[in-house]
Amino acid sequence: MASVPRIRTRLLSWYDTHGRTLPWRAAAGQTPDPYRVWLSEVMLQQTTVAHATRYFLDFTSRWPTVRALAAAEDGEVMAAWAGLGYYARARNLLACARAVTANHGGVFPDDEAALRALPGLGAYTAAAVAAIAFNRPANVVDGNVERVMSRLFAVETPTPAAKPELGRLAAGFVTEERPGDWAQALMDLGATVCRPRAPLCLVCPIRDHCAAFRVGEPGTFPRKTARAARPHRHGVVFILTRGDDVALVRRPPIGLLGGTLGLPTTPWREATWTLAEAKTHAPRTASWRDVGTVTHVFTHFSLDLRVLTAPTQSAPDSLIWIRRAAAAADTPTVFRKAIELAPG
Ligand code: SF4
């Protein structure tokens, strides 16, 4: 049977010794910087700590405050975000930084409801910033927390239907005492001990209270419903080169990878493309050479992208010429893969 006070005591004491040292976390006794907490939480929604760290360090060195980020050029921020995916989040990031600067004097509001009213701040991020940056008793429920709850209580309802139940179970542990540490302790337990596969139950501080451990198959929680197959699409990209430069285009602001720099491409559709058909979408007539295909998996579909390349001396003004290395660094991962495939 789960005992809230005992579990809290054990987990917080474990956190005091085993909590992760992360670049956005304040050291013990220091006040967290809401800007760094917010930025890290937005980045971590879509990637791992290891991957986000580089981006976090880059962002905070270029834009050390929310005011500095608010004043940045859109294109510069989108380029810095390249590789993190979900570009709508980068646009929301800027919108939020500008709202904090324009409407709150560059200071993040310190309660969950006011945070939630900022552009792009969903329920999760508002709760995380309220708890971690301002020590408010907010219920912070990410995938790690859901997993821990599903195991602690051996919840049989499969995900995603179990989400409300898991959220309620997590809320039962939130108190006025150390809410920020509690949120981070649960996240850390989920990330380092109660891992998705092969949880390390033998070193778990709350093992004695864990129903899934007692049942004997903790790794089978959370229960899952069968997932529908991800649709598959095809496209063709065009790499026009001029010396060391590669031609890019600015993608439309709305839609997948909106507002980012990318390679000229056909639409991405379920049917394959013939070369003749694809070339009608090329940025210009050229002796296109087929250098292979890259694959990429987005959240809602997977993609085969055929890569055509051609040298040129003249090209339409609408193209943006960028050094190959910079083009690979500043474009979303799917285009970087294509650029890296094409011989320099
Ligand atoms: Fe997770 Fe195992 Fe700890 Fe239960 S005992 S919370 S399954 S690590």
Side-chain angles (χ1 to χ4, degrees):
M1 186 73 184
S3 156
V4 169
R6 280 195 201 142
I7 290 172
R8 278 186 52 91
T9 303
R10 285 195 180 188
L11 191 50
L12 282 168
S13 142
W14 171 85
Y15 175 72
D16 289 339
T17 337
H18 295 93
R20 292 174 293 177
T21 302
L22 299 171
W24 41 85
R25 269 192 189 164
Q30 285 184 345
T31 308
D33 176 351
Y35 169 62
R36 293 167 73 85
V37 173
W38 162 73
L39 184 62
S40 66
E41 287 299 335
V42 176
M43 288 180 169
L44 287 169
Q45 281 171 46
Q46 55 209 49
T47 189
T48 60
V49 164
H51 190 60
T53 295
R54 173 166 75 82
Y55 289 88
F56 178 83
L57 295 175
D58 179 42
F59 265 66
T60 47
S61 105
R62 287 197 210 190
W63 304 295
T65 63
V66 70
R67 282 178 187 277
L69 182 61
E73 296 283 339
D74 289 33
E76 217 184 327
V77 174
M78 299 307 281
W81 190 267
L84 270 177
Y86 293 92
Y87 291 85
R89 291 224 171 104
R91 288 195 294 276
N92 281 333
L93 192 82
L94 264 178
C96 181
R98 287 170 184 163
V100 169
T101 301
N103 307 332
H104 299 273
V107 178
F108 275 87
D110 65 359
D111 73 89
E112 203 174 344
L115 286 162
R116 185 81 170 87
L118 290 168
L121 243 91
Y124 167 77
T125 313
V129 175
I132 299 169
F134 299 111
N135 213 27
R136 302 276 185 192
N139 189 24
V140 186
V141 187
D142 68 355
N144 283 325
V145 176
E146 287 180 347
R147 185 169 59 258
V148 173
M149 290 299 141
S150 78
R151 291 174 176 170
L152 199 51
F153 294 91
V155 173
E156 288 294 342
T157 316
T159 55
K163 280 177 174 288
E165 188 180 348
L166 299 174
R168 277 194 300 277
L169 291 170
F173 289 92
V174 177
T175 72
E176 297 277 348
E177 193 196 340
R178 300 181 66 187
D181 286 345
W182 173 254
Q184 294 175 102
L186 260 185
M187 288 175 184
D188 284 13
L189 186 80
T192 63
V193 176
C194 196
R195 307 178 307 188
R197 289 185 206 90
L200 303 173
C201 301
L202 293 180
V203 296
C204 177
I206 55 174
R207 186 185 62 205
D208 294 351
H209 301 275
C210 180
F213 178 72
R214 261 198 313 280
V215 170
E217 292 185 329
T220 63
F221 291 90
R223 305 293 199 212
K224 294 190 180 62
T225 37
R227 189 181 268 205
R230 200 184 254 128
H232 189 68
R233 294 187 188 163
H234 300 268
V236 179
V237 280
F238 303 92
I239 302 184
L240 205 52
T241 59
R242 192 171 61 189
D244 284 344
D245 291 347
V246 170
L248 300 179
V249 289
R250 175 75 61 192
R251 293 177 63 82
I254 304 297
L256 185 69
L257 310 178
T260 62
L261 284 174
L263 291 166
T265 175
T266 63
W268 300 343
R269 65 183 195 190
E270 288 186 11
T272 54
W273 292 84
T274 64
L275 280 184
E277 200 185 6
K279 283 176 187 172
T280 63
H281 294 270
R284 61 158 297 158
T285 310
S287 305
W288 293 105
R289 191 159 64 90
D290 189 341
V291 293
T293 299
V294 294
T295 57
H296 190 74
V297 179
F298 293 97
T299 315
H300 300 297
F301 66 95
S302 55
L303 176 72
D304 274 351
L305 206 52
R306 205 161 163 187
V307 182
L308 302 187
T309 181
T312 188
Q313 287 310 316
S314 63
D317 290 344
S318 57
L319 296 174
I320 300 163
W321 290 95
I322 292 188
R323 285 287 144 109
R324 175 182 286 270
D330 290 353
T331 53
T333 308
V334 62
F335 296 120
R336 176 180 54 75
K337 288 180 182 175
I339 293 167
E340 287 175 352
L341 180 72

